[in-house]
Amino acid sequence: MLFQGSTMEPLTLFDKIWDAHVVKSVEDGPDVLYIDRHYIHEVTSPQAFESLRQRGTDVFRPERTTAVADHNIPTTDQHLPIRDSVSRAQVETLEENCRTYGIEHFGIGHSGNGIVHVTGPELGYTLPGMTIVCGDSHTSTHGAFGAIAFGIGTSEVEMVLATQCLLQVKPARMRITVNGSLRKGVTSKDLILYIISNISTSGAAGYFVEFAGEAIKGLSMEARMTICNMSIEMGARGGLIEPDEITFDYLSRITSFNSNPEAAKLTEKRLSLRTDPGAVFDRELEFDASSVPPMITYGTNPGMGMPIDGIIPDHEQSGTDNAGSFNKALEYMGFSPGMKLLGLPVDYVFLGSCTNGRIEDLRAFTAMVKGKRKAENVTALIVPGSQQVAREAEKEGLTEVLREAGFAMRQPGCSSCLAMNDDKIPPGKYAVSTSNRNFEGRQGPGARTILAGPLAAAAAAVTGRITDPRDLTTVYDL
């Protein structure tokens, strides 16, 4: 498959991948897009499989589909039957469906289990130049490898299972260029929260975003996945980053990649997996990485973000359109304009999710808390994104460092990112969370979520309050 257009005109990376996967174009309508990799989990797939049964239809290419249980699984006592009957039914149904249709399944307790957007890349299933979908909005994570990856609905899950294709209208293209370098104590999570706070949660609506610039090129693959993961929180259809030496170095360390016959072909065409000089985007934005501070959110959407040492703005200063929803968000959080959040006591700290549940995030958190103690008023949920991450943390001694500091690492899963499992935040409690969304009730009915990066989460965990990680004696330098 060649990643070039029918003409010699310069093309964006997005256009090259999209056009190479178009099976057919419907006149004045959508494209029929071939899908290289389909990820499924226990929440959005049961209805799709049931519809296949009713139609008497098989899964067209089961080898192109990979299944994991992640949203509903507990993060303690995973060897036991899931107590919640609804969660248990969904997890067991996924296993049954995969067995029936011959789909590879990494279920609860499997050595390859974990959050779908963590396991896919680490197992070598996510590759540059691919089209990737999943019935989960944060499928955009996989775009960090130079892939077109996006979330789909349940009816579309059924469509891909039955045909390995999808009807899609081609989105507009946006490029966000970030130059300069991130300062000490600032992470990729801070960068994406900063961008969203500047352009709003609808600022990229209708676009597929390519992230570029020297600051992006300087990021690790884990950090790039964090950026692409939250691209949808600014309304984008997805985000992607041009694959480079960092990308292929990451892949080369995966055994299955080196034994994959597609790897050699991919290496041959890697030079075409980039945006051509002179390619035109529908919209361009630029940011200076050196201007990005550690960030936190103060409201109930990811766009309501501010510097960790900043002051909550009023409605006019916030740049939001709806004063009613802005004021409602502050009321829900128990905040008011003009407040500083530094020093605010917190009840929970959550490190994990498909945004910040990778080994690099655990390393950063652990380095910050080493030699310190967990604050007594804080309940900490430290959740690796996969079994592989958990094994690596044990191997590197991170688990022991956490234990000495008063933290217990839980078992892999989506955990407290969302209220579909036991790891809920109680009503009215404040949680500093490294996940991706802070909507009302996202982490449990009445829970108050403050989004942050792993360094700010670590600082809160050991001080018991919102703390600028740059103020601690040990700052982990990413």
Side-chain angles (χ1 to χ4, degrees), residues 18-95:
W18 184 282
D19 295 348
H21 287 79
V22 172
V23 176
K24 179 181 179 180
S25 292
V26 179
E27 187 175 354
D28 298 323
D31 290 331
V32 179
L33 197 68
Y34 182 77
I35 303 302
D36 292 310
R37 176 59 57 185
H38 185 198
Y39 293 113
I40 60 174
H41 56 74
E42 76 273 23
V43 178
T44 56
S45 66
Q47 302 92 327
F49 281 111
E50 181 59 30
S51 185
L52 286 183
R53 286 192 185 88
Q54 292 175 0
R55 293 171 180 268
T57 303
D58 286 330
V59 175
F60 180 51
R61 289 186 172 169
E63 74 279 2
R64 293 282 179 173
T65 298
T66 305
V68 298
D70 56 7
H71 282 58
N72 285 285
I73 65 176
T75 59
T76 59
D77 297 326
Q78 284 190 350
H79 61 286
L80 299 175
I82 298 175
R83 289 186 295 270
D84 181 78
S85 59
V86 175
S87 294
R88 184 172 63 253
Q90 288 190 322
V91 170
E92 291 176 349
T93 298
L94 177 66
E95 182 177 7

Side-chain angles (χ1 to χ4, degrees), residues 195-455:
I195 292 173
I196 299 170
S197 72
N198 274 270
I199 72 173
S200 83
T201 53
S202 60
Y207 294 95
F208 213 99
V209 178
E210 178 175 341
F211 295 95
E214 57 185 343
I216 300 297
K217 288 181 178 295
L219 296 176
S220 66
M221 286 310 300
E222 288 88 351
R224 294 179 188 188
M225 283 186 260
T226 296
I227 296 289
C228 290
N229 175 275
M230 290 193 66
S231 62
I232 64 159
E233 307 304 344
M234 52 189 179
R237 192 71 179 94
L240 79 165
I241 295 171
E242 176 185 301
D244 56 14
E245 291 298 328
I246 291 175
T247 313
F248 283 90
D249 179 63
Y250 177 96
L251 290 170
S252 70
R253 297 194 297 271
I254 301 172
T255 303
S256 62
F257 174 76
N258 295 310
S259 62
N260 186 344
E262 293 295 318
K265 298 178 184 178
L266 184 59
T267 302
E268 290 174 6
K269 63 192 177 189
R270 61 186 291 185
L271 292 179
S272 65
L273 285 169
R274 60 182 60 177
T275 291
D276 296 328
V280 176
F281 289 83
D282 298 290
R283 188 182 180 194
E284 296 250 20
L285 294 175
E286 293 187 16
F287 293 90
D288 178 7
S290 65
S291 299
V292 180
M295 296 284 293
I296 54 172
T297 58
Y298 59 86
T300 55
N301 71 61
M304 299 178 77
M306 69 178 193
I308 196 167
D309 58 355
I311 296 173
I312 296 177
D314 59 27
H315 168 248
E316 292 183 357
Q317 295 169 326
S318 72
T320 57
D321 296 328
N322 191 316
S325 62
F326 177 84
N327 293 329
K328 182 174 180 289
L330 290 192
E331 181 180 357
Y332 178 85
M333 293 297 295
F335 299 152
S336 59
M339 277 184 64
K340 292 194 71 159
L341 296 186
L342 275 181
L344 176 79
V346 300
D347 307 291
Y348 282 75
V349 168
F350 170 52
L351 176 76
S353 83
C354 60
T355 312
N356 285 124
R358 297 176 180 83
I359 190 63
E360 183 177 275
D361 304 304
L362 275 169
R363 288 173 185 150
F365 187 97
T366 302
M368 284 285 286
V369 304
K370 185 176 183 179
K372 304 178 179 66
R373 291 290 300 174
K374 182 186 74 66
E376 291 186 3
N377 60 299
V378 169
T379 298
L381 301 170
I382 312 300
V383 188
S386 70
Q387 293 284 356
Q388 182 169 311
V389 171
R391 290 192 297 271
E392 183 63 28
E394 184 72 35
K395 178 182 176 182
E396 294 183 14
L398 306 182
T399 307
E400 181 58 30
V401 172
L402 289 170
R403 189 179 299 116
E404 291 174 354
F407 298 91
M409 195 164 75
R410 301 169 83 92
Q411 294 166 295
C414 288
S415 185
S416 192
C417 176
L418 75 174
M420 281 189 179
N421 49 71
D422 293 337
D423 297 352
K424 296 177 176 63
I425 308 301
K429 299 297 184 181
Y430 287 108
V432 174
S433 176
T434 64
S435 51
N436 40 52
R437 289 180 173 164
N438 53 341
F439 306 151
E440 289 189 23
R442 170 73 178 183
Q443 294 190 289
R448 292 166 163 175
T449 301
I450 298 169
L451 298 180
L455 298 184

Side-chain angles (χ1 to χ4, degrees), residues 14 66 110 132 141 152 157 162 178 193 212 221 289 298 337 390 394 396 402 408 442 450 456 469 474 478:
F14 175 84
T66 305
H110 192 287
I132 299 170
T141 307
I152 57 176
V157 171
V178 187
L193 285 174
M221 286 310 300
Y298 59 86
E394 184 72 35
E396 294 183 14
L402 289 170
R442 170 73 178 183
I450 298 169
T474 302
L478 294 178

